[in-house]
Amino acid sequence: MHLPDYKEARTRDKRSYKRVNFEENSEVKDKYRGKTFYLKTYGCQMNEHDSENIEALLVFLGFKKVDNYLDADLVLLNTCSIRENAHNKAFGMLGRLKHLKQEKKDLIVGLCGCMAQEASVVEEIMNHYKWVNFVFGTHNMYQLPEIIDKAIEENKQQIEVFSREGDLIEGLPVLRVNDYKAYVNIIYGCDKFCTYCIVPYTRGRERSRLKEDVLKEIDDLVRDGYKEVTLLGQNVNAYGKDIYDNYTMANLLEDVAKTGIPRIRFTTSHPWDFTDEMIEVIAKYPNIMPSVHLPVQSGSNRILKLMGRRYTKESYLELFHKIKDTVPGVSISTDIIVGFPGETEEDFLETLSLVKECKYDNAFTFIFSKREGTPACKLLDPVSIEEKEERLQRLNEVVNQYFLENNKKLVDSSLPVLVEGISAKKNMYYGYTDTNKLVNFTSDKELQAGDIIDVKIMEAKTWSLDGEVVG
Ligand code: 5AD
Ligand code: SF4
């Protein structure tokens, strides 16, 4: 049994890690044939992609996927710690599973992902959720077959959570959700330690994959007919710093562009590491999509400092405009937190003024959520939740107005769209533009998912565009 510990999770040193190839344990292959699983994923794209590995490992054990947890022999929750509501949702689901397990005694229930890295969650599960069969952490995913097998064979709760990252595992099996768009991890973990954020504790230190491993994965995807890759990391711009003296995110982007994959995206970028070389590479290669997610978090220098973000409003704006001026037609999206401890009305107005200058194409807005063990959790927070909710609403009104304004500028233009399929609700095709905008559209000729076609935009809405295929 290994239990999580934040003190250990916080340590950063120059210890080198080994790159190890995943080896299948043939003893458990297909052992659970005839059994079914339901996997519920909370949180970010990193978790979604982890779930693609988890699914493949469950299938390796012989389990078959079902879409309703009531039909499953094994239910696994891949959890998220980023805000309290993600945490509450997972515990709500555990509540429903407790009832189900009273009727279905053989049901196997497990929890993994970021919440498994939290000592308080694991303590709670060990003390009050003794019926949960297993818990494994983000650094233990490759051990899934053995952990589940042991939980079933020994009929005893298994807790396997390494607080610190171990080896970097390559070659995990993967069952991708989409046949045309793929996630590819390029860097794990985060060393930024923004004061509100739990990720550096749950995901460990920054560890880049070898460029050869990343490029091989993408070459294989091209060969398999994939049209789009999203390079994933908590902070992709730090790529390479931990393993190379002279090979950066800009170099990787350029090499990925040369694989010929039609569309390349990357997320998430911390403004601190966004170099001029990266901007030039994005502008140079047509297959690197003109779409950048650039979280700002706040427009107040005082709050940015308390958040430990390492930039000022002015330096963020300089970067923002450099990207806008260098990459033609680029769309920029962001993340914003309101109600950080001690945020005053003046601080909030600074955020509004920044938003009015940036006129973002998309923005994910959140109310600050206390995460146990982070420095911001200990700060005095005199602002009431009602006031924070009101700020969020005011912010959303402003950001939404720019989404619509930006979309209206696209009416009558023709934009390249990667077709995803037909939306059942609208009975129209749908897909995403190069700038990552959702388009619902009609077409006289039949289209296939994975086609990239030009769509003429007819109407703009706040969160989507309507269009038709011309010619
Ligand atoms: N409270 C609210 N929002 C948070 N985020 C990260 N931690 C917190 C927190 N404690 C937001 C940030 C980040 C996004 C992924 O989630 O805006 O960019
Ligand atoms: Fe969290 Fe900051 Fe790292 Fe993003 S950069 S994962 S917000 S600590």
Side-chain angles (χ1 to χ4, degrees):
M1 177 183 307
H2 289 94
L3 298 175
D5 173 2
Y6 267 5
K7 266 210 193 96
E8 234 192 283
R10 200 165 31 225
T11 48
R12 295 292 188 268
D13 55 28
K14 286 279 169 214
R15 197 169 52 108
S16 60
Y17 52 82
K18 284 209 300 285
R19 174 201 172 283
V20 172
N21 258 330
F22 173 73
E23 277 181 36
E24 286 182 353
N25 173 354
S26 55
E27 274 172 41
V28 290
K29 185 170 175 21
D30 279 335
K31 186 165 169 183
Y32 296 95
R33 185 150 303 279
K35 300 275 182 206
T36 56
F37 78 90
Y38 173 83
L39 174 61
K40 172 86 189 155
T41 308
Y42 302 87
C44 64
Q45 287 121 319
M46 190 71 75
N47 258 20
E48 282 175 29
H49 185 40
D50 283 352
S51 280
E52 295 183 325
N53 293 127
I54 291 170
E55 256 195 62
L57 290 168
L58 288 167
V59 167
F60 169 77
L61 280 170
F63 287 94
K64 189 167 161 268
K65 182 180 173 176
V66 290
D67 295 330
N68 187 339
Y69 74 96
L70 297 171
D71 301 330
D73 299 308
L74 181 147
V75 178
L76 178 54
L77 310 184
N78 186 10
T79 60
C80 165
S81 304
I82 198 97
R83 282 171 294 275
E84 203 180 352
N85 62 349
H87 171 112
N88 292 345
K89 273 191 210 157
F91 270 104
M93 185 67 185
L94 280 183
R96 288 195 287 283
L97 292 169
K98 184 179 180 182
H99 286 293
L100 186 61
K101 199 155 170 157
Q102 278 158 2
E103 295 160 24
K104 215 172 150 177
K105 294 270 182 281
D106 292 339
L107 179 70
I108 302 290
V109 175
L111 184 142
C112 64
C114 287
M115 279 169 67
Q117 297 296 138
E118 293 183 66
S120 58
V121 169
V122 173
E123 238 167 69
E124 178 81 2
I125 288 181
M126 287 169 71
N127 294 329
H128 303 291
Y129 294 75
K130 292 193 167 75
W131 52 270
V132 168
N133 301 78
F134 64 92
V135 175
F136 64 87
T138 56
H139 307 308
N140 306 72
M141 198 164 74
Y142 69 99
Q143 299 172 318
L144 175 149
E146 289 75 23
I147 296 170
I148 294 185
D149 186 48
K150 206 164 165 207
I152 297 173
E153 286 287 342
E154 295 183 6
N155 195 18
K156 207 173 108 208
Q157 191 174 63
Q158 303 293 319
I159 312 273
E160 288 300 334
V161 183
F162 295 154
S163 295
R164 290 179 71 178
E165 60 289 334
D167 299 328
L168 195 142
I169 312 291
E170 285 294 338
L172 277 178
V174 59
L175 270 176
R176 297 188 187 275
V177 169
N178 192 298
D179 292 335
Y180 305 98
K181 305 206 299 191
Y183 291 129
V184 172
N185 285 323
I186 61 168
I187 180 168
Y188 301 98
C190 180
D191 289 347
K192 287 287 179 285
F193 286 99
C194 300
T195 58
Y196 50 82
C197 186
I198 202 164
V199 168
Y201 307 86
T202 61
R203 292 279 175 173
R205 95 170 213 227
E206 286 173 359
R207 289 149 290 145
S208 303
R209 288 178 72 197
L210 292 179
K211 62 179 196 263
E212 292 80 10
D213 289 330
V214 172
L215 293 170
K216 166 150 191 338
E217 188 173 343
I218 296 171
D219 280 336
D220 290 348
L221 290 166
V222 174
R223 205 195 47 224
D224 291 344
Y226 276 82
K227 297 291 170 61
E228 180 175 309
V229 284
T230 301
L231 309 179
L232 284 184
Q234 306 299 341
N235 175 21
V236 286
N237 305 3
Y239 177 79
K241 287 186 175 178
D242 56 323
I243 52 170
Y244 300 120
D245 288 332
N246 242 327
Y247 191 89
T248 63
M249 180 59 177
N251 301 121
L252 183 72
L253 272 176
E254 184 151 29
D255 282 343
V256 174
K258 287 178 184 161
T259 64
I261 187 126
R263 289 184 156 201
I264 301 157
R265 303 187 187 280
F266 54 95
T267 195
T268 285
S269 290
H270 189 295
W272 171 263
D273 297 306
F274 214 116
T275 60
D276 290 355
E277 291 76 27
M278 273 180 72
I279 304 176
E280 278 155 28
V281 171
I282 298 166
K284 179 171 167 193
Y285 287 91
N287 57 343
I288 303 180
M289 295 295 95
S291 168
V292 174
H293 188 59
L294 196 66
V296 67
Q297 314 297 3
S298 168
S300 149
N301 283 336
R302 197 180 73 81
I303 296 295
L304 285 171
K305 195 150 190 213
L306 287 173
M307 287 177 162
R309 287 292 288 178
R310 310 171 189 216
Y311 54 79
T312 59
K313 175 183 185 174
E314 292 73 24
S315 63
Y316 178 92
L317 285 172
E318 194 187 321
L319 172 65
F320 178 94
H321 289 299
K322 212 188 280 175
I323 298 173
K324 277 269 174 194
D325 294 344
T326 318
V327 184
V330 69
S331 72
I332 301 186
S333 56
T334 200
D335 292 341
I336 300 170
I337 298 176
V338 300
F340 186 83
E343 182 192 70
T344 61
E345 176 65 17
E346 288 71 43
D347 292 319
F348 175 67
L349 289 175
E350 293 266 4
T351 299
L352 279 188
S353 105
L354 177 130
V355 163
K356 285 178 186 161
E357 176 162 349
C358 293
K359 304 182 171 60
Y360 291 104
D361 286 272
N362 203 352
F364 301 91
T365 56
F366 313 101
I367 293 180
F368 167 77
S369 173
K370 272 190 174 184
R371 306 319 292 136
E372 209 182 301
T374 61
C377 189
K378 297 194 201 91
L379 295 175
L380 279 179
D381 194 3
V383 181
S384 70
I385 185 67
E386 289 76 19
E387 201 164 335
K388 292 183 183 195
E389 276 165 1
E390 196 236 3
R391 281 182 198 164
L392 182 69
Q393 206 180 332
R394 282 159 66 200
L395 174 64
N396 284 343
E397 273 164 27
V398 179
V399 291
N400 292 350
Q401 172 198 323
Y402 292 117
F403 304 163
L404 184 61
E405 215 171 85
N406 288 328
N407 281 348
K408 277 187 176 158
K409 289 188 198 141
L410 300 173
V411 171
D412 289 336
S413 63
S414 244
L415 301 175
V417 170
L418 171 60
V419 181
E420 300 247 329
I422 295 182
S423 103
K425 215 164 94 192
K426 295 186 180 261
N427 199 23
M428 280 165 101
Y429 286 103
Y430 72 98
Y432 288 85
T433 64
D434 50 355
T435 54
N436 217 10
K437 289 176 190 279
L438 172 64
V439 189
N440 292 295
F441 59 98
T442 54
S443 168
D444 291 340
K445 26 176 227 279
E446 198 177 320
L447 301 169
Q448 302 294 327
D451 289 345
I452 298 176
I453 38 105
D454 282 339
V455 176
K456 183 169 183 208
I457 305 305
M458 312 300 287
E459 198 186 330
K461 301 183 172 159
T462 303
W463 284 285
S464 65
L465 300 162
D466 280 353
E468 59 187 44
V469 174
V470 278

